[in-house]
Amino acid sequence: MTNNWWKWVCVLFVFFSFTAKAESQKDVVDYVNPFIGTSNFGTTNPGAVCPNGLMSVVPFNVMGSPDNKYDKDARWWSTPYEFYNVFFTGYSHVNLSGVGCPEMGSLLLMPTTGELKVDYKEYGSRYKNEVAKPGYYANILTDYNIKTEVTATLRSSVARFTFPKGKSHILLNLGEGLTNESGAFIKKVNDCEFEGMKVLGTFCYNPQAIFPIYFVMRVNKKPLSSGYWKKQRPMTGVEAEWDKDNGKFKLYTNYKKDIAGDDIGVFMNYDTKTNEQLEVQMGVSFVSIENARQNLEEEQKGKTFDQIHAEARQAWKDNLSRIMVEGGTEDQKTIFYTALYHTLIHPNILQDVNGQYPALESDKIKTITEGNRYTVYSLWDTYRNVHQLLTLVYPEKQRDMIRTMINMYEEHGWMPKWELFGRETYTMEGDPAIPVITDSYLKGLRGYDINKAYEAFYKSATIAGKGNLLRPDNDDYLQKGYVALREQYDNSVSHALEYYVADNALSRLAKALGKTKDAKLFYDRSLNYRSYYDKQYGTMRPLLPNGKFLTPFDPKQGENFEPSPGFHEGNAWNYTFFVPHDVQGYAKLMGGQKAFVNKLQMVFDKGYYDPANEPDIAYAHLFSYFKGEAWRTQKEVRRLLKENFKNLPEGIPGNDDTGAMSAWAVFNMMGFYPDCPGNPSYTFTSPVFNKIIIKLDKQQWGREQLVIETVSPSDKAEIIKKVELGGKPYNSFRLTHDQLIKAGNVKFYLQ
């Protein structure tokens, strides 16, 4: 008995020692769960992508199975993937993450077996055994017993399909996808290579934003036969012989040239052996087919699937390792690193390996000679926190993004608002480039033409008339100090509140550049938010052209995303405290600190706060502007983190908005948050980890790391008892960026 007992003690000791060692050796990449945010309208996806890579290859399961037998319904239209859907129709190439409108999600690559089918409703398959890691995704198609795997480089992808024995096929569907466009062109180059173009665009149903994506597809084995398909009747002039019907599609096999039109595709037929693997490479470009081919060749030449996967993993490891955390639970680490992962998906590089890229709103092709040209600027979302995170932790990326924005102004005459692959969609409100660049400049980030940026900002802030593409209702704003409600649902209040934030940031920039007169002009304009405050309701309220408030008025209208006069994607309560640049002054307007704090607390207590919407994203941090009230910030932020960010597919509270929601989690889990865009400062929150080490760019910030430590009596402690900054007592719950960097160390004591 004694010997057996000792044997088990030894076994358990070895087991736990091995487990502890394995735990300590766990890479940051292994904490990322790409399935977080893939349900509950988070619209993220688990596909393979490199940090800020142009190419992403994503499992597509939102097309809908026949009669919706296996899937939910069409409400998942703004993402290629929804976690609980099970009807797989291929891998889409170049996708968006966390957005609220459908776009991209095209070039659908699909393996099948048995008789050839080219209608996705017939060839789609259920699947199992999903695996998703940064730079890699895999599943098994149960209808075909095919294992599928994908990985990516910056501008290309490779899929590896493991087939059973028998008739097998590889399909490239150019008609289906998330985009509203279905037109395409494809040409056979040789037995193993096809090239072509697909039309994309009309993001958020903006008809002017249409653009092509060029591609080259290669397979590593010659097919027995191949051909095209086309929906509807055959095109005249196509040198092909129609063989037979395939449902609603025509099949062409004895073709000589190419095929173009709507709803077309290409198929390749094989007779595979048991467990035979076929690989399909895809290179893309927004410039030309030649560039797509060059991207593919230079990024994948001589590399195996596993080597490409390893390089993608290493790229993510390098990026995620900029922030190292200790302590906290395994779920908290997973939530944190997945959130950080999501903030590094967009914006994406746009230039090809030869440096070429499409100029904004132009048919010109330009060449970048230094750094990266970026695209996918969802600025209404990301100006609040994503770019602040990039400035601090990834300044080299942020610098290139700012250079890109200034170049866009030189190309198009306007700063970007919601730019997408060389087209401006003009989606959402405001003048968001102003706080993005101002915030970085005031923090000390240099290496771009700030005077050219200021020229662009001054233009959009002062030009009246419909010719102002960023502020289309600037006439009212300049003449009245507010934007009047002229149509029932024109989002007038939302527009104006965004302009006030932008003008305050512009005032700060003007002051830093020695433009005293401009600084006063824009500062005074930023205070006109007061005209919207209605003491009767205690909220912001739409104003009519005659200066009177809209009547009747319900401040809760819009709480369920139904249309609301004057407000976009929300109601008056979601916007009433959206005055981050004048919190103290706004409190006086409301009747003082007590009235302000009580009303703000009521927003949380009554559930008026929307954790998934940007205008109120910093509400919880406003308590810290008032002496004795900072504990409310710490309490509410911790509660919001626990309730809304989880290690689950539903783990993001709505659209991730190209990383904005994830950036909120990253900052707050570290213990500080940039609550006022354009103001280089932060509000303290209580960290969830014992220690955080942010690796800094020494050349940029003058030191190699920023250390945040937390001393806590228990896991439940969330209120800050005291703070030490640089080893010295610090008696405030707010600090500037310079204070944070110069200190190098922040130590929190919780209670």
Side-chain angles (χ1 to χ4, degrees):
M1 178 66 72
T2 302
N3 289 337
N4 286 337
W5 176 84
W6 179 246
K7 178 180 178 181
W8 280 110
V9 168
C10 292
V11 170
L12 290 172
F13 175 79
V14 171
F15 172 78
F16 286 116
S17 296
F18 176 80
T19 302
K21 183 178 181 180
E23 185 71 23
S24 66
Q25 294 177 341
K26 193 173 183 179
D27 282 338
V28 291
V29 179
D30 299 319
Y31 281 110
V32 175
N33 177 5
F35 292 112
I36 291 177
T38 58
S39 191
N40 190 36
F41 301 98
T43 68
T44 62
N45 66 68
V49 64
C50 290
N52 302 104
L54 177 65
M55 171 61 85
S56 58
V57 53
V58 175
F60 199 99
N61 71 0
V62 295
M63 196 70 73
S65 56
D67 303 319
N68 286 326
K69 181 178 179 182
Y70 305 122
D71 298 330
K72 287 190 173 182
D73 56 40
R75 69 176 180 272
W76 305 109
W77 43 264
S78 65
T79 176
Y81 176 92
E82 206 286 326
F83 183 80
Y84 294 103
N85 285 355
V86 296
F87 192 68
F88 177 92
T89 53
Y91 283 106
S92 57
H93 295 76
V94 184
N95 300 269
L96 300 178
S97 174
V99 300
C101 286
E103 189 48 58
M104 313 306 290
S106 192
L107 307 180
L108 292 176
L109 182 67
M110 179 72 182
T112 66
T113 63
E115 293 301 316
L116 175 65
K117 298 293 182 182
V118 298
D119 185 338
Y120 75 87
K121 291 183 179 180
E122 297 179 359
Y123 69 63
S125 171
R126 289 167 292 180
Y127 56 94
K128 65 179 182 179
N129 296 0
E130 288 187 282
V131 176
K133 302 175 182 178
Y136 176 85
Y137 173 89
N139 67 19
I140 294 177
L141 304 185
T142 56
D143 289 14
Y144 303 117
N145 193 28
I146 298 173
K147 181 179 181 180
T148 80
E149 302 169 89
V150 290
T151 188
T153 68
L154 286 175
R155 303 169 183 87
S156 70
S157 67
V158 57
R160 182 165 65 189
F161 303 136
T162 304
F163 287 93
K165 183 178 181 180
K167 292 182 179 180
S168 299
H169 317 280
I170 293 175
L171 315 176
L172 180 64
N173 188 328
L174 298 176
E176 306 299 339
L178 293 181
T179 182
N180 294 308
E181 304 300 315
S182 61
F185 157 85
I186 192 166
K187 175 184 178 181
K188 180 181 179 181
V189 178
N190 57 51
D191 287 334
C192 295
E193 182 174 312
F194 291 83
E195 64 183 23
M197 179 275 293
K198 172 78 173 76
V199 179
L200 304 169
T202 66
F203 176 73
C204 276
Y205 307 103
N206 290 292
Q208 77 282 357
I210 297 177
F211 48 90
I213 184 172
Y214 302 94
F215 67 90
V216 169
M217 179 182 71
R218 288 176 178 168
V219 293
N220 67 338
K221 182 181 180 180
K222 178 181 176 180
L224 296 177
S225 62
S226 62
Y228 302 137
W229 77 76
K230 179 174 172 54
K231 198 172 183 179
Q232 302 170 344
R233 60 186 177 85
M235 290 179 59
T236 58
V238 175
E239 295 185 18
E241 179 182 335
W242 170 57
D243 287 339
K244 61 179 179 179
D245 282 311
N246 191 282
K248 299 178 181 178
F249 298 83
K250 304 294 184 182
L251 301 185
Y252 301 87
T253 55
N254 297 321
Y255 52 84
K256 297 180 180 179
K257 290 188 177 180
D258 51 45
I259 192 168
D262 295 331
D263 300 301
I264 64 173
V266 63
F267 58 87
M268 287 159 280
N269 302 321
Y270 294 87
D271 187 5
T272 54
K273 300 175 183 178
T274 302
N275 293 327
E276 181 174 356
Q277 293 185 330
L278 299 180
E279 294 186 3
V280 184
Q281 299 170 305
M282 185 81 73
V284 295
S285 166
F286 286 86
V287 173
S288 67
I289 291 174
E290 292 74 17
N291 281 14
R293 181 174 288 107
Q294 186 178 0
N295 290 341
L296 175 59
E297 290 176 347
E298 292 199 17
E299 293 188 347
Q300 294 198 33
K301 186 176 182 180
K303 298 177 183 178
T304 66
F305 180 98
D306 292 329
Q307 287 175 321
I308 293 171
H309 173 208
E311 289 178 0
R313 176 184 170 87
Q314 185 62 47
W316 278 113
K317 181 179 178 180
D318 293 343
N319 276 257
L320 296 172
S321 295
R322 296 275 187 102
I323 306 178
M324 303 299 293
V325 302
E326 298 177 12
T329 66
E330 290 298 286
D331 273 353
Q332 286 173 328
K333 289 178 181 177
T334 296
I335 292 166
F336 178 83
Y337 280 113
T338 305
L340 186 59
Y341 165 83
H342 284 147
T343 67
L344 295 171
I345 293 177
H346 299 303
N348 312 97
I349 62 165
L350 179 61
Q351 85 277 6
D352 295 319
V353 293
N354 62 11
Q356 292 184 332
Y357 66 89
L360 180 61
E361 288 296 316
S362 170
D363 58 357
K364 295 180 180 179
I365 301 301
K366 294 196 171 185
T367 302
I368 190 169
T369 57
E370 181 183 5
N372 287 313
R373 168 77 176 206
Y374 282 93
T375 186
V376 188
Y377 280 87
S378 178
L379 292 175
W380 183 81
D381 305 300
T382 59
Y383 89 82
R384 304 165 201 270
N385 51 32
V386 171
H387 290 284
Q388 288 85 332
L389 181 65
L390 295 174
T391 298
L392 175 63
V393 188
Y394 308 92
E396 75 285 359
K397 294 179 187 281
Q398 177 68 0
R399 184 180 294 109
D400 282 352
M401 290 176 191
I402 292 175
R403 287 173 177 169
T404 295
M405 295 164 73
I406 295 172
N407 287 340
M408 287 178 175
Y409 165 66
E410 293 177 318
E411 295 163 4
H412 178 48
W414 300 93
M415 279 288 179
K417 189 171 189 175
W418 213 124
E419 178 273 347
L420 184 68
F421 299 106
R423 290 292 181 262
E424 178 55 67
T425 71
Y426 300 109
T427 302
M428 302 308 293
E429 284 84 31
D431 201 344
I434 294 177
V436 168
I437 297 179
T438 295
D439 196 276
S440 293
Y441 184 81
L442 295 182
K443 287 174 179 173
L445 188 66
R446 298 292 187 269
Y448 47 88
D449 189 346
I450 190 61
N451 291 309
K452 180 66 67 173
Y454 186 83
E455 174 188 301
F457 299 157
Y458 188 88
K459 176 182 178 180
S460 62
T462 58
I463 288 182
K466 294 183 179 179
N468 192 327
L469 300 183
L470 297 182
R471 303 190 188 196
D473 40 20
N474 216 28
D475 284 1
D476 268 0
Y477 187 75
L478 295 176
Q479 296 170 11
K480 303 174 182 293
Y482 66 89
V483 178
L485 182 76
R486 296 182 180 276
E487 297 180 12
Q488 188 175 12
Y489 303 121
D490 61 6
N491 305 326
S492 57
V493 184
S494 299
H495 287 195
L497 292 178
E498 293 286 351
Y499 300 159
Y500 299 137
V501 172
D503 279 351
N504 182 265
L506 187 52
S507 171
R508 294 174 185 273
L509 180 59
K511 183 178 180 180
L513 296 178
K515 303 178 185 296
T516 306
K517 185 177 179 180
D518 287 356
K520 184 179 186 306
L521 168 68
F522 296 124
Y523 175 74
D524 290 344
R525 277 174 32 172
S526 74
L527 299 181
N528 286 329
Y529 71 86
R530 298 166 179 166
S531 58
Y532 282 111
Y533 182 69
D534 177 25
K535 294 183 179 180
Q536 177 185 351
Y537 286 92
T539 68
M540 297 294 188
R541 184 174 177 181
L543 284 164
L544 301 174
N546 61 10
K548 295 183 179 180
F549 286 121
L550 171 69
T551 301
F553 172 64
D554 177 5
K556 293 176 64 177
Q557 184 176 344
E559 63 181 344
N560 295 313
F561 278 85
E562 73 273 15
S564 177
F567 300 99
H568 192 182
E569 293 187 1
N571 61 27
W573 287 114
N574 302 137
Y575 282 89
T576 285
F577 289 91
F578 181 44
V579 188
H581 57 286
D582 189 36
V583 178
Q584 300 283 0
Y586 194 20
K588 291 180 181 179
L589 183 63
M590 283 191 173
Q593 171 181 330
K594 184 177 181 180
F596 181 95
V597 169
N598 287 345
K599 186 176 295 183
L600 183 57
Q601 186 63 59
M602 180 269 292
V603 169
F604 290 100
D605 294 344
K606 290 193 174 183
Y608 293 165
Y609 174 81
D610 181 1
N613 207 17
E614 274 71 10
D616 60 10
I617 200 170
Y619 272 22
H621 304 85
L622 304 183
F623 294 115
S624 292
Y625 281 82
F626 305 99
K627 186 176 181 180
E629 303 294 350
W631 65 271
R632 297 179 189 268
T633 291
Q634 298 143 32
K635 178 182 178 181
E636 292 296 342
V637 167
R638 277 293 187 95
R639 179 182 66 82
L640 292 171
L641 280 171
K642 292 176 183 177
E643 292 180 358
N644 297 289
F645 294 89
K646 301 176 182 179
N647 185 14
L648 296 169
E650 301 85 358
I652 298 176
N655 290 353
D656 194 41
D657 290 326
T658 64
M661 291 298 155
S662 289
W664 188 95
V666 169
F667 268 120
N668 284 300
M669 294 179 85
M670 291 194 299
F672 59 105
Y673 186 79
D675 55 87
C676 181
N679 182 348
S681 62
Y682 308 95
T683 291
F684 282 141
T685 61
S686 53
V688 302
F689 302 109
N690 298 339
K691 188 175 184 179
I692 302 159
I693 300 175
I694 302 175
K695 299 178 182 178
L696 299 177
D697 183 329
K698 186 175 182 179
Q699 185 176 358
Q700 172 60 48
W701 301 124
R703 63 169 60 249
E704 294 182 348
Q705 63 182 27
L706 170 63
V707 180
I708 301 168
E709 299 177 278
T710 305
V711 178
S712 178
S714 72
D715 294 338
K716 296 182 180 180
E718 59 188 20
I719 305 302
I720 299 173
K721 182 179 181 181
K722 64 177 181 178
V723 178
E724 291 177 356
L725 191 65
K728 299 178 181 179
Y730 186 72
N731 298 315
S732 175
F733 291 97
R734 291 183 54 76
L735 82 167
T736 67
H737 179 80
D738 284 345
Q739 287 176 309
L740 180 66
I741 296 299
K742 289 178 180 178
N745 180 276
V746 183
K747 195 168 187 177
F748 294 91
Y749 294 84
L750 304 185
Q751 61 183 3

